[in-house]
Amino acid sequence: MLVVQKFGGTSVADLERISSVCDIVSKSVDSGNSVVVVVSAMSGETNKLIGYANELSDNPESFELDMLLSSGERVTASLLSIALNERGVLAESMSGRRAGIVTDATHTRARIESIDPKPLQEALDSGKVVVVAGFQGVNSDGRVTTLGRGGSDLSAVAIAGALRADLCEIYTDVDGIYTTDPRIEPKAKKLDRISYDEMLELASLGAKVLQNRSVELAKKLQINLVTRSSFTDAEGTLITKESNIMEEPLVSGVALDRNQARVSLGGVCDRPGIASDIFGRLAKSSVNIDMIIQTLGVDDKTHLDFTVPINELLDAKPIVESFVNRGEIEEASYDENICKVSIVGVGMKSHTGVAAKAFATMAHENINIMMISTSEIKVSMVIDEKYAELAVRALHGAYELDS
Ligand code: ASP
Ligand code: MG
């Protein structure tokens, strides 16, 4: 098999951890695999470098930041390669440039445009393990770029795609994807398998283990992803296409997002174009809108509720107030003490009563639902933040995720 193994910052935090990574890599080589390793910077290193730059300047040039930040991953790649060779595992490290990773010119959050797999393939063909510095590429001018925070996951998936690898393993400090946050519900179970779409929903809902862009890319390239821990032998969670998962569970997980605020608009002028005006202005200020509910207009007035990330509420308020001042909205109120709980599962596509059960569960706990939204594989409810954990546990039990 051709395997890409990616190790995150905590897995390469110091020389001792790098030595454990050598164990994992050589085990894979010994079992007959061709291995490409992608590494993050040692944990804390990227933040440290950003801190240095910010001490010297309030506004460092973004291409200088990329020069700086890309160095963290190169340090790890060469150290790991040195350690592997020392053990008799033939290895060679490569920067993003050497690995043929070409990106667009958006410094500090570049997108990968292409990968020329030739240098990687040649090194593999000569029997070497290739250790690639993650999180980086070069633009068409030959300048170093970085892929945005957490971008080493993306490097790994993109390389797996370019080499048509059989598997892309993402090693981190958690042993997989859980049915819900085990800190909230100790009965949470590790999932053996989950589909790309479920993973994307769970991640955007707050279960951040993998960078979302990398899951999207894995879905597009149909790469089987495994997330697992480099600290234990435990098998991780396979993230794969839906048809690889037999016997879909109705609900795979319960997610909680505490990071939302609700904006409620009353007496909104009910004319064509009002939604476009409000949300157009918000979009222009890069405010991310999540749920939107508009009720049927009565007497030329309507009600509009939506949610935004708490830290973007400050940007949203003046925009909303400008509509109030113009008389197009009668009253606006803001509520930060809310949260969003969601159930996610591809099985709900083909079953009825899944949403009804969620509502019944909230009713049973006497929790009022303020907003509801659904997609093909998700039901989300906005509730008072003080019931967040109770709601998660109740839903987890109602769909028998602990059994
Ligand atoms: N070192 C980079 C970061 O901390 C990229 C990564 O670890 O994936 O964001
Ligand atoms: Mg990471």
Side-chain angles (χ1 to χ4, degrees), residues 190-366:
K190 191 176 71 193
L191 294 159
D192 293 332
R193 287 164 179 247
I194 188 171
S195 69
Y196 299 117
D197 287 326
E198 288 169 310
M199 184 65 225
L200 286 168
E201 291 287 9
L202 287 171
S204 67
L205 300 168
K208 294 220 164 57
V209 179
L210 282 167
Q211 191 214 34
N212 242 17
R213 274 168 74 195
S214 65
V215 181
E216 277 163 14
L217 188 64
K219 179 186 172 190
K220 195 169 133 197
L221 303 173
Q222 299 280 297
I223 300 289
N224 285 324
L225 272 182
V226 168
T227 133
R228 57 187 302 175
S229 169
S230 68
F231 293 76
T232 69
D233 282 334
E235 303 241 341
T237 302
L238 172 66
I239 303 157
T240 187
K241 58 180 181 220
E242 226 168 273
S243 56
N244 284 349
I245 303 174
M246 308 296 265
E247 286 196 65
E248 296 298 352
L250 230 44
V251 169
S252 298
V254 180
L256 172 64
D257 184 355
R258 297 178 193 269
N259 187 31
Q260 295 281 320
R262 181 171 68 129
V263 179
S264 289
L265 309 179
V268 179
C269 178
D270 194 16
R271 62 162 173 84
I274 183 77
S276 161
D277 289 348
I278 296 173
F279 293 110
R281 288 278 309 282
L282 291 165
K284 232 176 161 176
S285 299
S286 299
V287 175
N288 285 291
I289 309 293
D290 183 23
M291 287 190 192
I292 300 176
I293 294 180
Q294 189 195 300
T295 49
L296 203 60
V298 181
D299 297 332
D300 294 332
K301 297 285 175 204
T302 180
H303 242 284
L304 195 57
D305 283 84
F306 57 91
T307 61
V308 298
I310 285 186
N311 60 354
E312 292 175 22
L313 190 57
L314 228 63
D315 297 324
K317 267 187 188 173
I319 295 171
V320 168
E321 294 303 326
S322 73
F323 284 90
V324 174
N325 295 338
R326 253 185 283 151
E328 292 207 298
I329 295 173
E330 278 170 10
E331 52 188 350
S333 63
Y334 310 91
D335 188 354
E336 294 186 30
N337 300 316
I338 59 144
C339 67
K340 183 172 76 169
V341 282
S342 309
I343 51 170
V344 175
V346 287
M348 49 178 101
K349 283 185 193 174
S350 50
H351 287 82
T352 56
V354 178
K357 187 179 217 166
F359 306 148
T361 307
M362 294 299 101
H364 186 253
E365 300 295 340
N366 223 346

Side-chain angles (χ1 to χ4, degrees), residues 6 8-9 40 149-153 170 172 209-211:
K6 184 260 168 178
S40 284
R149 297 309 303 270
S152 297
D153 290 354
I170 308 281
T172 161
V209 179
L210 282 167
Q211 191 214 34

Side-chain angles (χ1 to χ4, degrees), residues 60-69 107:
E61 285 288 353
S62 57
F63 70 84
E64 295 293 358
L65 279 176
D66 279 349
M67 269 298 283
L68 179 69
L69 299 189
H107 283 287

